[in-house]
Amino acid sequence: MSIFYYDKTFDGLLSVVFDAYKIKHFPQALLAEGDIEPMFMERVHTTVTDSGKSDRVWTALRKKLSKQALNHIHHVWQSELPEADYLIFRYIRKVIDSSHSVETHFADEDVMAMLKLAKKVSKDTMYLIEFVRFQKTTQNIFFAPVAPDYNTLPLALRHFIDRFADQHWALYDIRRGYGFYYDLQRVEQITLPDENALIDGKINPTLLAEDEQQFQTLWRNYFKAITIRERINKRQQRQHMPARFWHLLPEMQN
Amino acid sequence: MKESVLHKLTILAESAKYDVSCSSSGTIRRNKAGMTGSTSGWGICHSFTEDGRCVSLLKILLTNFCLFDCAYCVNRRSNDIERVAFTPGELAELTIEFYRRNYIEGLFLSSGVIKSPDHTMEKMLRVVKDLRTIHHFNGYIHMKTIPGASQELVHQAGLYADRLSVNLEIPLEQDLKLLAPEKDHQSVYKPMHYIQQGMVQSLEERRKFRSAPRFAPAGQSTQIIVGAAKDNDKDILHLSSALYQRQSMKRVYYSGYIPVNTYDKRLPVVKDSSLKRENRLYQADWLMRFYQFNANEILDDKSPYLDLDMDPKLAWAIRHPERFPVDVNTADYATILRIPGVGVKSAKMIMVARKHGRLNLNGLKKIGVVLKRAQYFITNNELPHYTIHEATPEYVKRVLRDTPSLPSPAEQQLSFGFTD
């Protein structure tokens, strides 16, 4: 078995592609430095991440793929699944080796696997866009803790910058321990220095603006009032709004 | 915010819940400097109520006072319920605060009719204008047009709202006359027509000047209450089809009648099937909008009701075995679209994927074709020849109909020991 080591960054993965074509040898597995080596290793190569290499690979892909397919590659990467990098590697190889566009070759296993995973990630991104609930803090920052399955916060950022351009806001991934803060000018990545800001993933009530609870109560009441009681269908509710999001939704807290 | 707002919100949301439209799609408005919000174009749901419906807009009445006495409406004049009204300021603030917290995409504003249709429209316009001009709100606004409103006010509404709608409610004029004596179809069709005119005019002006104002850019919609009168599915679908032929009509919503005023003897006793019927009508509506079916193909005088046991596309295919089997590798898009088990997405994928080589069953499955249904309607080298012709339409009908819910104990006893 032959393997490549790399630093598990996206640029690193593209550098792997570059190296593989350069030495005309294609790995059967991609590992990070320090991972346990498989048995029966034949050949090992270590790729050093190099933006020159990754840029060249990306430029080549841009010539052969639609914008949508390029997005899919990004989405699959953000899934953070252990098999995602090698899937992307196989997919890129197929793209480079084929004289015509492979992105619509839906009967191909890798093409379809890419599409399916990209869809899952974009669905998770959509859930984020739907179910973010900002809470106003004493400092007039609209703050929302989130907990997506995949690392989708960077993918949803654009939507929030466009939509809430005239208010200070922050989105914080409580699972991954990082977030983004928007200050009316730009967005910066943040980690919360104060451990008391969040209690069990919820904002410390002492940090909330005075009328915040009141608006949550209004929202809860509205939510209850528009339910048509003759038509209760909790299965459908769960289908559209999976229970894993409920702990972040004020309307689902009695 | 005052305490009383909580009380009003509860009452006026309760009264607005029977309006089914909650769509926030159809306009794209990117954020502009100094404004609050944007509108996405594809519509975003922010929550789902216990009845499984999407919450996208703050759907609310300005007031539940009403002049009219429509038999099917909770807010009818003769009902003894608590009446309240928002001030325009309260409602605008509520919308903005909910929006900033990402609870909603915008506002769906409806109202009971106070004093006169125009008086009510003016009050509603106040809210919408305040949102756009004072709060610089750039989110979605759906405004209900009151039947009988004047052209001038409809025109103003179109300049501020993304979508306008006038509800038809009862499909047949004679039934409407019976259930809502103060209304007639003319008072609905006229504002519909004004909206269409406004849109046509605005599009023309925008062709000349890009800066000309947009008019109801997300088009108009309407709602039909199903099952409150003697209308059949054929009447309803033909009506919808005619409405869709007006360019500005984006959606027709169907609302299975929920008995809100059981004491009124003009109304039917509702059967449980109303929800199923509503669902079938939506499926038929999809066939007209996305599958290139026309109303006559779905229902005709011989069969004026949709089959409750199976979706209308499957029902059509079983009635037309001569159109099948279809070769997925050579047939055109319109033909592929008519195969049961093939949706719009998979039909499009089939069209592009087959350029790379013949599609086999496995490929179709990967694309998302529901082979359980499609197998009787397609041909492919791998398939044993067991299409709808060999299997017979009766057989296909029997295996593909929706699994009926558990039979009642009595039926179970009767059929004990027998299977078919």
Side-chain angles (χ1 to χ4, degrees), chain A residues 81-103:
Chain A
L81 290 182
E83 67 270 23
D85 59 349
Y86 194 53
L87 172 63
I88 295 174
F89 180 81
R90 290 199 307 272
Y91 179 73
I92 292 180
R93 269 197 74 184
K94 280 186 181 164
V95 173
I96 293 175
D97 292 346
S98 165
S99 55
H100 58 277
S101 159
V102 299
E103 64 182 80

Side-chain angles (χ1 to χ4, degrees), chain A residues 101 104 107 112 129-130 132-134 162-163 166-167 212 214 221-222 226 228 231 233-234 237 251, chain B residues 1 10 31 36-38 45-48 50-51 53 59 100-102 105 256 275 278 356 366:
Chain A
S101 159
T104 53
M112 209 56 205
I129 286 170
E130 294 179 6
V132 154
R133 294 289 181 269
F134 286 117
D162 184 47
R163 170 150 303 182
D166 73 333
Q167 71 195 51
E212 177 54 34
Q214 197 193 350
N221 255 41
Y222 172 73
I226 50 157
I228 298 182
R231 293 242 176 135
N233 185 350
K234 293 200 178 183
Q237 181 187 32
E251 66 269 32
Chain B
M1 256 230 135
T10 311
N31 188 272
T36 308
S38 62
C45 299
H46 285 283
S47 199
F48 291 86
E50 276 183 54
D51 54 28
R53 292 191 307 162
K59 198 190 300 179
R100 286 196 181 284
R101 285 164 177 75
N102 206 42
E105 286 292 290
L275 195 59
E278 180 187 303
H356 298 276
K366 274 192 196 138

Side-chain angles (χ1 to χ4, degrees), chain B residues 151-167:
Chain B
Q151 181 156 21
E152 168 53 25
L153 288 171
V154 172
H155 188 76
Q156 282 198 47
L159 296 176
Y160 293 95
D162 292 284
R163 176 169 286 183
L164 295 175
S165 63
V166 209
N167 282 358

